[in-house]
Amino acid sequence: MKRKHNQIDAEETKLSSLLFNKTKKFTEKLNRNVTSLSEVDRKPAWIDDDDRQFKVNTVIPKVKNDSLYTEKLKQKYETLIGSPNWAKIKDASNKDESGSDIVKTVGHLDKEKVSKFEKNILEIKKSTTIIPQKGAITTSLKFHPKVSAVMLANTSGIVSLHSLDGNNKLHSFKLKSWTISSTHFKPDGSEAYISGVRHTYCIYDLVKASTKIVQLPHALKKAVHFKLSPDGKFIAASEGFSEVFIICADTNEVIKNIKNNSNVKAMTYSHDSRELYCFNDLGEVTVWNMTTMKPIKKFFDSGCITPSRISMSHCGRLLATGTAEGIVNIYDTAELTTTNPMPLKTISHLTTKITNITFNPTSEMLSVSSSFLPNALKALHIPSYNVFPNFPQKNLQLIETVGFSPNGGYMGISNNKGIVNLFRLGHFKNY
């Protein structure tokens, strides 16, 4: 049966309460894998009492052990007759086209119908306000990939995790003398990578609640740009000059240093982590292959004067660039075949420097913002690129950072007053 939204919210709160409570429950939940079909103990659907009248040597000679009789009889049957189609068990990974496992559950006769994401109104079910620390600005906001919680990091070096209702701080720790600029979760949510404008970065083990400080390459004095790849394998770090260091996330060793034509202003990975897009101060984007560590294409951002941000959609089909003049260009990645490609759409609703470009996980929504004017944020519908006129409804002050939860159900926005606003988006049913 379909659960009500308040039941979903209650479950999210319950799950959040398990996070970082230093009990075995959280560790088990974080490390728990879905049991495969092959691991399930399969038992016969029925047993015929008549089978017991047969003795060992009646059908299969030379079988002296009664315990082997059933298995040998089964093998002989399959050799002579073969397994009927109805008795074959399909691989759990080969899902049929008609739907997912939910349609096989009692009470579900069809897939749940997903309502169309309308372009005119952004449905806000509720909003929550969090103030992690008075007087400190939240510079990074990331939702946990597995458990319903949000990680906030600020200019005082404090990293904290909060439940989505805002009433419960689940965990916090401080990195002394750090001004944190970015945070990233590993895909499985077991570790967080934290960087500031300094010569080191921090790896935080969420299960053990322990920190590890790692030195950046000697030639890199500070990490102005710090990006963890979506698959969690690579770190791209740059001081803002032409050189970008590619670091193995597991061993923390430098794999390669790649050189661009000019100073790097922004970076983003492709959705599959196979490519790295470097946006330099000439308005040129260089695309690097992460296997060969060589450039595979270059192109100039249309009309770009002063580049500021670059972001890739989760589906991999859209690339967005932002400038200091408040212009955002959206490109189809399949059309980036020339040195001067034309954007699918140019967004010019803002007039000051673009400081945030964020696609939601379903690639149906795009947030663009500037931290230079109050309330300078626009939420756009994709693929119409219409701006939602009803958002934001309240004054959000100067926008610092924007983030979405793994399934798009929540949108988080932090501002220069140290306040984080969490909005529950009604169209997206899951966290």
Side-chain angles (χ1 to χ4, degrees), residues 176-210:
K176 294 181 180 180
S177 304
W178 278 56
T179 299
I180 299 171
S181 56
S182 68
T183 58
H184 303 272
F185 279 114
K186 271 232 175 171
D188 63 0
S190 62
E191 293 179 330
Y193 285 71
I194 305 161
S195 73
V197 185
R198 56 191 300 119
H199 185 60
T200 56
Y201 62 94
C202 172
I203 303 176
Y204 185 73
D205 190 315
L206 282 80
V207 178
K208 298 178 181 178
S210 62

Side-chain angles (χ1 to χ4, degrees), residues 292-420:
T292 63
M293 297 295 170
K294 294 181 179 180
I296 54 176
K297 67 179 75 171
K298 297 181 181 181
F299 63 91
F300 284 93
D301 183 26
S302 177
C304 177
I305 299 174
T306 312
S308 63
R309 289 290 181 271
I310 188 168
S311 182
M312 175 74 74
S313 67
H314 293 255
C315 66
R317 295 182 58 186
L318 302 173
L319 179 73
T321 60
T323 70
E325 293 72 40
I327 303 297
V328 174
N329 285 328
I330 312 294
Y331 294 91
D332 183 344
T333 54
E335 301 299 323
L336 299 177
T337 56
T338 66
T339 56
N340 293 287
M342 293 302 296
L344 286 173
K345 185 72 177 180
T346 297
I347 301 164
S348 55
H349 295 281
L350 300 178
T351 58
T352 52
K353 181 180 179 179
I354 301 298
T355 53
N356 271 285
I357 303 176
T358 309
F359 287 92
N360 86 322
T362 65
S363 302
E364 295 176 272
M365 184 176 166
L366 173 66
S367 166
V368 296
S369 64
S370 172
S371 61
F372 288 85
L373 280 178
N375 241 32
L377 180 145
K378 299 295 180 185
L380 295 96
H381 174 272
I382 296 177
S384 70
Y385 299 105
N386 281 0
V387 174
F388 291 107
N390 68 316
F391 187 82
Q393 291 182 335
K394 66 178 183 178
N395 186 9
L396 299 176
Q397 305 296 330
L398 300 180
I399 309 299
E400 287 293 327
T401 187
V402 179
F404 290 94
S405 60
N407 294 297
Y410 286 85
M411 180 180 185
I413 302 171
S414 71
N415 64 25
N416 64 320
K417 302 297 183 181
I419 298 172
V420 176

Side-chain angles (χ1 to χ4, degrees), residues 5 40 133 141 203 231 239 274 358 368 386 403 405 413 425:
H5 297 315
V40 177
Q133 182 189 10
L141 180 157
I203 303 176
D231 62 6
E239 196 172 344
R274 294 180 181 178
T358 309
V368 296
N386 281 0
S405 60
I413 302 171
L425 306 183

Side-chain angles (χ1 to χ4, degrees), residues 114 125 145 185 279:
V114 179
K125 291 182 62 179
F185 279 114
F279 198 14

